[in-house]
Amino acid sequence: MDRTARTAGVDVGGTKVAVGLLDGTTLTPRGLEPTEVHDPEALLAQISRLVGELGPVEAVGIGVPSVVRISDGRVVSSANIDAFRDVALRDELASRLGVPVHVDNDANLAALSEAWGDDLELLHESLVCVTVGTGIGGGAVLGGHPLHGARTSAFELGHLTVGADLTDGAPPAGDAPLPSSLEHWASGRALDRLARERGFDGGPALTDAAQSGDARAVDALRILGERLGVGIAAVVTLLEPEVVVVGGGVSRAGELLVGPAREAARRLLLPGLGADTEIRVAHHGPQAGLRGAALLARLEESPTDA
């Protein structure tokens, strides 16, 4: 990977757009604004303006909480951003900015950030990132690059079926997240439900209480963590990566969440499978998506050096 270029990273979320500059090996966050979620033209203009404020860059990487068609960087659908429905994001922004633009799912880019070290050296050939926030996202890296489906960014771990009653066949169709999905059972929304059942004012309050030693709160995080471990076990069964990292806002619970997830995943795996897979909290925290976006631009513009 080129260690001397200037590339921009853009992390588009349901509430905030973050922009940063990867100059050489140093990432500097430079802009953070509420997302223009309802108007495609306003959102494109917002991203273009924020990137333009960084000064000259050689390429731009963008992470979105969406299904992305990899062949042309088109956002196919997005659960939390109304403005991102069938938008030619790559081509529109490349035309406005005059530099190459590369687009991927935000969880794929969080995984990319975790796979590459601070000096832009490849740390892990294979890594899966599970982002636990309001919902659940998932991304994977193989050979230092994001792993994709045949057409799209794929790897929508939150929509993995983990809790279905199959006695009479498959569950009925419905709006995402389905009641049988990992997102329904193990996301921030699920933690909010567990919190309210125990008299806490939402997941953050419960997490604070757990970190102070409250037994009810610790047990709620155990339940959420074990549910998450069911999804992790499925991922390890399919891919057996070197590392599975847990990121997103809920991951601030640390080992109170990841410890039970690790134990449950180990308990559910076939003997010997995933024996060397490390399961841990992500290292790059809230900057992972931004850093991964800038790394994507760097990788795509210097593929022979990756």
Side-chain angles (χ1 to χ4, degrees), residues 203-216:
L206 182 143
T207 299
D208 291 341
Q211 291 173 332
S212 297
D214 186 287
R216 296 170 304 153

Side-chain angles (χ1 to χ4, degrees), residues 159-172:
H159 303 290
L160 191 70
T161 297
V162 297
D165 180 355
L166 304 181
T167 305
D168 296 317

Side-chain angles (χ1 to χ4, degrees), residues 216-272:
R216 296 170 304 153
V218 168
D219 190 58
L221 284 174
R222 174 196 63 80
I223 291 171
L224 195 80
E226 290 195 8
R227 292 172 178 176
L228 189 63
V230 175
I232 291 173
V235 168
V236 174
T237 298
L238 289 172
L239 296 179
E240 198 180 32
E242 296 171 40
V243 183
V244 176
V245 301
V246 179
V250 177
S251 71
R252 77 178 181 91
E255 278 296 307
L256 290 171
L257 174 75
V258 177
R262 184 187 302 115
E263 191 280 329
R266 300 280 187 225
R267 188 168 72 235
L268 294 171
L269 287 167
L270 286 170

Side-chain angles (χ1 to χ4, degrees), residues 61-79:
I62 301 181
V64 291
S66 314
V67 176
V68 177
R69 193 166 69 193
I70 296 302
S71 62
D72 60 1
R74 177 179 287 270
V75 176
V76 179
S77 64
S78 186

Side-chain angles (χ1 to χ4, degrees), residues 106-131:
D106 56 355
N108 270 339
L109 299 187
L112 193 66
S113 180
E114 293 290 323
W116 288 84
D118 291 340
D119 194 39
L120 306 192
E121 75 281 16
L122 183 60
L123 300 177
H124 306 292
E125 289 281 343
S126 59
L127 179 144
V128 168
C129 180
V130 185
T131 57

